[in-house]
C-alpha cells in the first residue's frame, strides 16, 4: 500500500509526478492508467436519498413545572404529629404533619381579637343608628362610628387571609392548637425527614418533598450548529446508563431563544412519559435527536476533505481525471459516517468515496 510519505511527494501544479504517475493542473488531477493509485480509488454516484440528521447531547431530567414541591416550614416550632412516609401517595390539601408554634398562636389570637373588635364596633354602630334616629347624636358621630366598622372589617379580613394561607378552618380555630402543614400538590412523597418532638425553624431545609413523576421534562443542551434541525414537537430519544439499550421516547416541548455565552448552547426542553419511573429527578441523561427524513445529497465522511478555507470533495470528470470541488456541508448522522451536502454537488456526478487522499498535492 502507498505510504503517506509517497503521497506527500507529489509535484506542484502543472507537474507530472513520475513516482505516482499523477498530473496536476489547478484543481484538476489526472491519473495515468498504469498508476498503482487507481486500485485505491472508489467512487459513488450522487443521488438524493431520504436522510435524517442525527446528533447526541447531554441533558438533565426533572419534574415538570408545578409537579415538584419542597414543603416549607412556615414558623419556628415543634413537630407534634407526622402523617406521611417516603413513597406515600398524597393529594393536594392533605395534612402532612402538625407543628406547634407560639408564632402561629399569636396569629390565631390576633384573629380572635380582630373578630371581637369587629363585633363590638358593629354593635356600637347599630346602637348609634338608633340614637341618631332619635336625634340624640349628630350625623358626624354616626359617620365616625361607621368608619370604625369599616376599619374593623378590614383588620378582620386581613387576619382571616393570613390564617387562610395555612388552611385554617375558622369554625374550629382555637388558641394553642397546632397548625397542620398541608400538601401543596398531589404526588408522591420522595423525601420525609420528620421526627415527632423535633424543634424546627422557618429557615431550615424542607422536611418533606412531593413530586409527581408520572411524566418528566428533560433539559438538553444543544450547540448552535445543530439548533436549526430541532423544532417543537420533534421526536427524540432519551438514554440512561442503567438501561442503555432501551430508549425513552420524548417530544420537544420548547426550543430556547437564548444562547449561553460560555457553552454556546441553547436549552431545549423535552417531555416524556415516566410511568415506569426509570427517570429520576436530577438524573443526567443522553439525548438523541433525529430530524424528519428529507431527500438530500449525502456522501460518506471519507469523501470530505478540509482545506484551509473550505471543505471539498473529488468529483470524477472521466475515467482518469478528477477535480477538487468545494462543497458546503449540512448535518451528519449519529455516528458521523454520513454527511449531507447543502451545495456543490449535482445529481448524477461521481464522487471519490475512498482513496481521495492519494490525489491531494
Amino acid at each position: 500500500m502507498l505510504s503517506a510519505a509517497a503521497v506527500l511527494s507529489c509535484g506542484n501544479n502543472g507537474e507530472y509526478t513520475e513516482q505516482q504517475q499523477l498530473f496536476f493542473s489547478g484543481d484538476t488531477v489526472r491519473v495515468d492508467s498504469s498508476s498503482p493509485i487507481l486500485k485505491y480509488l472508489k467512487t459513488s454516484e450522487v443521488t438524493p436519498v431520504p436522510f435524517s440528521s442525527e446528533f447526541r447531547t447531554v441533558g438533565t431530567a426533572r419534574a415538570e413545572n408545578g409537579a415538584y414541591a419542597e414543603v416549607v416550614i412556615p414558623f419556628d416550632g415543634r413537630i407534634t404529629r407526622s402523617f406521611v412516609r417516603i413513597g406515600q401517595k398524597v393529594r393536594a390539601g392533605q395534612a402532612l404533619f402538625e407543628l406547634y408554634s407560639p408564632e402561629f398562636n399569636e396569629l390565631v389570637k390576633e384573629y380572635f381579637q380582630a373578630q371581637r373588635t369587629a363585633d363590638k364596633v358593629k354593635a356600637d354602630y347599630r346602637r348609634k343608628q338608633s340614637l341618631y334616629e332619635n336625634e340624640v347624636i349628630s350625623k358626624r358621630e354616626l359617620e365616625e362610628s361607621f368608619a370604625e366598622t369599616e376599619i374593623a372589617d378590614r383588620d378582620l379580613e386581613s387576619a382571616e387571609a393570613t390564617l387562610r394561607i395555612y388552611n385554617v378552618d375558622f369554625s374550629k380555630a382555637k388558641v394553642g392548637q397546632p397548625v397542620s402543614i398541608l400538601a401543596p400538590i398531589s404526588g408522591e412523597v420522595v423525601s420525609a425527614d420528620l421526627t415527632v418532638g423535633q424543634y424546627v425553624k422557618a429557615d431550615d431545609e424542607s422536611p418533606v418533598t412531593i413530586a409527581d413523576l408520572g411524566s418528566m421534562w428533560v433539559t438538553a443542551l444543544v450547540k448552535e450548529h445543530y439548533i436549526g434541525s430541532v423544532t417543537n414537537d420533534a421526536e427524540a430519544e432519551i438514554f440512561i446508563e442503567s438501561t442503555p439499550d432501551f430508549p425513552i421516547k420524548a417530544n420537544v416541548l420548547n426550543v430556547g431563544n437564548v444562547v449561553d455565552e460560555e457553552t454556546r448552547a441553547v436549552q431545549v426542553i423535552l417531555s416524556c412519559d415516566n410511568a415506569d419511573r426509570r427517570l429520576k429527578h436530577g438524573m443526567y441523561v443522553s439525548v438523541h435527536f433525529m430530524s424528519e427524513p428529507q431527500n438530500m445529497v449525502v456522501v460518506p465522511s471519507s469523501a470530505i476533505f478540509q482545506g484551509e478555507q473550505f471543505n471539498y470533495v473529488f468529483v470524477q470528470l472521466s475515467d482518469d481525471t478528477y477535480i477538487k470541488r468545494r462543497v458546503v456541508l449540512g448535518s451528519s448522522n449519529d455516528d458521523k459516517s454520513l454527511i449531507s451536502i447543502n451545495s456543490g454537488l449535482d445529481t448524477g456526478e461521481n464522487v471519490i468515496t475512498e482513496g481521495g487522499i492519494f490525489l491531494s498535492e
Side-chain angles (χ1 to χ4, degrees), residues 1-3 7 10 22 24 37 40-41 305 355-360:
M1 184 172 179
L2 295 177
S3 66
V7 173
C10 297
L22 301 177
F24 294 90
I37 285 179
Y40 298 108
L41 301 182
F305 295 90
I357 185 66
F358 297 112
L359 303 187
S360 298

Side-chain angles (χ1 to χ4, degrees), residues 45 66 80 100 114 133 139-140 181 224 241-242 291 305 307:
E45 183 179 344
T80 58
Y100 178 80
E133 290 171 357
K139 183 177 181 181
R140 179 180 178 182
I181 307 302
E224 290 179 272
E241 288 189 5
S242 59
S291 66
F305 295 90

Side-chain angles (χ1 to χ4, degrees), residues 164-198:
R164 195 174 290 113
I165 295 174
Y166 308 104
N167 295 283
V168 174
D169 184 346
F170 300 124
S171 65
K172 299 179 181 179
K174 295 180 181 178
V175 176
Q177 72 176 4
V179 58
S180 292
I181 307 302
L182 310 182
I185 62 172
S186 297
E188 178 182 330
V189 178
V190 295
S191 70
D193 184 15
L194 297 169
T195 302
V196 174
Q198 175 185 3

